[in-house]
Structure formats: C-alpha cells, structure tokens
Amino acid sequence: MVSVKELVESNCMRLVPSNYISLKSPEDSMLYETENIPTIDFSQLTSSNPIERSKAIQQLGDACRDWGFFMLINHCVPETLREKILRATQSFFDLSEEEKKEYAGEKVLDPIRYGTSFNVMVDKALFWRDYLKCHVHPHLHVPSKPPGFSETVDEYIRKSREVVGELLKGICGSLGLEENYILKRLNVELGTQLLIANFYPPCPQPELTMGLPAHTDHGLLTLLLQNQLGGLQIQHKGKWIPVNPLPNSFLVNTGDHLEILTNGKYKSVLHRAVVNTKGTRISIATAHGAQLETIVGPAPEFVGDDNPEAYRAIKYGDYIQFQQSHELHRRSCLDHIRI
C-alpha cells in the first residue's frame, strides 16, 4: 500500500499515475455556482424562545427534506478546538509511513484503520486520498501517536455528539415526533460514532482524478469539519454544486439510515470530494448512527397503505460492512436493501 502523501512526496510528479485516472462524463464537470445550501443557526434551534426554536425546527426540516445538506452556525464548538483537531490530524498524517502502517487494519470493522483510496481491493481507479477511520463511541479507539492526538480526538468527538444530539431532537420536531424519538428508538446514546479523517494532497492534474466519488453516507447524520481548502460538492436536483462553508461553520448531511428510518421522507444526498493543485485539503467527518447490532428499518410512523415500506430492515453493522466492502458508487448501498 502506497499512500498518496508518500507518492506525492517521493516524486516530482507532473502527471497523475494511470491507476488514479477515473473516467468522468461531461455532466460531472458541470458546476452550478449560483445556489447556496441552507444555513441553520444552532443557537436558534436550542433557544428558550419557543417562536425562535419553532422557526429553526421548520428550517431544519426543510433543509433535510429538500437538500439533505446544510451549514450549521453558532454551534458553540470552540474555534480553538476545531483548529486543534485539524492540527492534530495533520500531525498524524505527518508521521512516517512505518508508524502509520501500524494502524493499517485488515478488516472493515477493525476499530482503527489507516489506508488510502477507499477500498484498494475493489476500486476500479484509486482515489487521491489517504484516510484514518476510528470507532470512537461507545468505546474510544484512537492511535496512540502522535502525542496528545487521542486526547484531542476525545474532546472533539464529545462536543460533536452533543451537537448531533440536539440536531436529532430538532429533526424529530420537524417530523412531528417526540423530540427524543430517534435517540430512544435507536439508543443513540450508546450508538456508533465513527471519525473519518481525510487527507487530500495537492494533485498535478485534478481534472483526471477524484478525492472521493459520488456517494451517500451511512448513519443518521454526518458532521464535517474541513480546513481552508474546499473540495466538497453535492448533487441537488441533478446538478453538482460546490460547497463554500461560512467561517467557523460545520457542514451536516443526512445519512442513509435517516432515509431508511423515515421511509424516504428525508433522503441522504449524493456528494463527492474533488482535489486541487494548490495545497492539501483535510476534512474530518464524524458519522453518527445506531449500535452495530441494532436492526434499522422504516419506523411505523412513516409506513401506511399509501406509503409501504421502501427498505428492508438491516443490522447497522451489516450495512457498514456492505458499504466498506464494495465499490463506493452513488446510492448502491441503499439500492441493495430497497424493496
């Protein structure tokens, strides 16, 4: 396994190696800059003012239904902590290849996995991306190197869980459910939280390769933090839209299991990561879901004579196993369980 970082640093590359070149359709290169994803004010969503909170809940529901993506501002996660986790992540990827390869897991559900591309065993073309994946809840699994890394991750994931908990309460309100419905039904307090750190080095020919191809996320919600270099694009009404987050904001997207739970009322959305020639992009995603043994299917509140079950129930861990073991391709995981 050769990491992209190692590849870039060991060669004065002017051309992308052929095994990283991915074929794209002309439509994939068309971007629409005019549309902006919704913005949700976390302080209003958690406000003691019922009118202000009600308005924010409605905005949250609209964002989940119409976009599946939104920017989250005024979220009370300190900027110092956000910068600290980004620096710590950079420090991990700056370790020697020998040190990082100590964490190269062999199995999809290994607690810690360092690697490159997505799944080098099945990828038709490799992706311009190195990664670190850690199962950080209900038990914290983090590399012991570099010094202080595990402590920083622990502090960050605790804050992100608090934010996601409040978002799920707001989503329940937007669906007309009791605010703790999802938290209780899927026992999210003891649920799975994955931290995925992505490292996208500068690329000499970014138009020929991808950081990550179009895909949806497993889980209920994904909270995304990135450094100053953008690269995220989402598909909205068939068009690819580049995301330019506001300073000190999070990007949040609905995952496959929120779509499954709501029987398609709130849909997960296709998104992808592109690379650039300018510098290294770092993104840190925390994916939040049920316990690995929990079976997730459409909730009875969203099933009826006019709206039959659209997905078969599946164990959460089996769904992750399927996604991580196959080629990352659009909505293939949801299609696998679609009725």
Side-chain angles (χ1 to χ4, degrees):
M1 180 183 71
V2 178
S3 72
V4 181
K5 187 174 187 290
E6 184 180 17
L7 186 69
V8 169
E9 292 177 350
S10 62
N11 296 287
C12 295
M13 285 191 308
R14 296 183 180 179
L15 299 175
V16 168
S18 58
N19 54 333
Y20 286 88
I21 295 176
S22 48
L23 298 175
K24 303 176 187 177
S25 65
E27 292 79 14
D28 281 344
S29 299
M30 295 177 63
L31 296 180
Y32 294 81
E33 304 270 1
T34 55
E35 296 198 64
N36 295 315
I37 68 170
T39 298
I40 302 298
D41 190 326
F42 188 77
S43 66
Q44 293 179 358
L45 190 66
T46 56
S47 172
S48 58
N49 183 324
I51 297 175
E52 196 173 66
R53 176 168 160 75
S54 178
K55 182 180 178 182
I57 287 174
Q58 182 179 343
Q59 291 172 340
L60 178 61
D62 291 344
C64 291
R65 183 189 64 245
D66 300 335
W67 283 83
F69 246 98
F70 55 89
M71 269 185 284
L72 189 69
I73 60 172
N74 298 327
H75 44 69
C76 69
V77 177
E79 189 170 1
T80 52
L81 178 56
R82 289 159 54 88
E83 293 172 350
K84 188 177 177 183
I85 187 73
L86 285 167
R87 287 196 305 271
T89 301
Q90 176 74 61
S91 296
F92 172 81
F93 286 106
D94 283 343
L95 294 173
S96 69
E97 290 301 317
E98 290 71 25
E99 289 175 299
K100 287 182 290 190
K101 284 176 181 176
E102 294 177 21
Y103 303 106
E106 297 179 356
K107 298 177 181 177
V108 165
L109 293 179
D110 280 349
I112 303 174
R113 288 174 65 214
Y114 162 72
T116 191
S117 192
F118 177 72
N119 183 337
V120 294
M121 303 300 292
V122 299
D123 295 334
K124 290 187 175 71
L126 297 179
F127 306 123
W128 205 260
R129 169 239 196 185
D130 299 330
Y131 67 80
L132 173 68
K133 298 180 181 180
C134 303
H135 288 248
V136 292
H137 191 74
H139 305 290
L140 182 68
H141 301 280
V142 189
S144 58
K145 304 172 186 177
F149 183 65
S150 59
E151 291 81 1
T152 299
V153 169
D154 188 28
E155 183 181 3
Y156 178 78
I157 57 116
R158 288 175 186 273
K159 282 291 186 182
S160 65
R161 272 204 311 280
E162 292 174 11
V163 171
V164 166
E166 291 298 331
L167 288 174
L168 288 174
K169 290 178 182 179
I171 286 171
C172 285
S174 73
L175 292 165
L177 302 169
E178 189 270 325
E179 71 169 17
N180 288 312
Y181 178 89
I182 294 177
L183 294 172
K184 291 177 180 177
R185 183 175 182 86
L186 298 183
N187 196 13
V188 176
E189 292 280 335
L190 295 176
T192 302
Q193 184 183 14
L194 267 65
L195 180 138
I196 306 101
N198 302 299
F199 190 90
Y200 305 99
C203 178
Q205 295 174 293
E207 71 280 1
L208 296 182
T209 188
M210 293 292 295
L212 277 176
H215 67 283
T216 59
D217 292 349
H218 64 77
L220 297 166
L221 292 175
T222 300
L223 201 67
L224 185 74
L225 167 67
Q226 63 179 36
N227 65 355
Q228 71 278 7
L229 288 171
L232 179 68
Q233 298 174 354
I234 69 169
Q235 193 173 80
H236 180 62
K237 297 181 179 178
K239 300 176 182 178
W240 283 109
I241 298 172
V243 178
N244 301 303
L246 295 169
N248 200 32
S249 66
F250 282 112
L251 294 169
V252 185
N253 65 280
T254 54
D256 292 348
H257 286 82
L258 190 61
E259 177 167 339
I260 295 167
L261 187 72
T262 63
N263 204 30
K265 187 175 179 68
Y266 288 172
K267 289 181 169 56
S268 59
V269 66
L270 286 171
H271 55 286
R272 66 187 185 184
V274 298
V275 291
N276 67 82
T277 60
K278 301 173 185 176
T280 297
R281 176 175 180 253
I282 293 176
S283 70
I284 302 167
T286 51
H288 303 255
Q291 291 176 299
L292 294 178
E293 297 300 314
T294 299
I295 296 174
V296 184
E301 288 82 357
F302 303 103
V303 177
D305 294 337
D306 297 330
N307 194 30
E309 287 190 359
Y311 310 97
R312 60 181 176 85
I314 186 171
K315 192 182 294 184
Y316 187 60
D318 289 348
Y319 192 93
I320 297 177
Q321 178 84 37
F322 181 86
Q323 185 205 47
Q324 302 288 312
S325 303
H326 291 74
E327 183 184 4
L328 193 64
H329 182 66
R330 303 182 76 83
R331 296 171 68 84
S332 56
C333 293
L334 277 172
D335 291 340
H336 173 65
I337 63 166
R338 199 181 302 276
I339 295 174

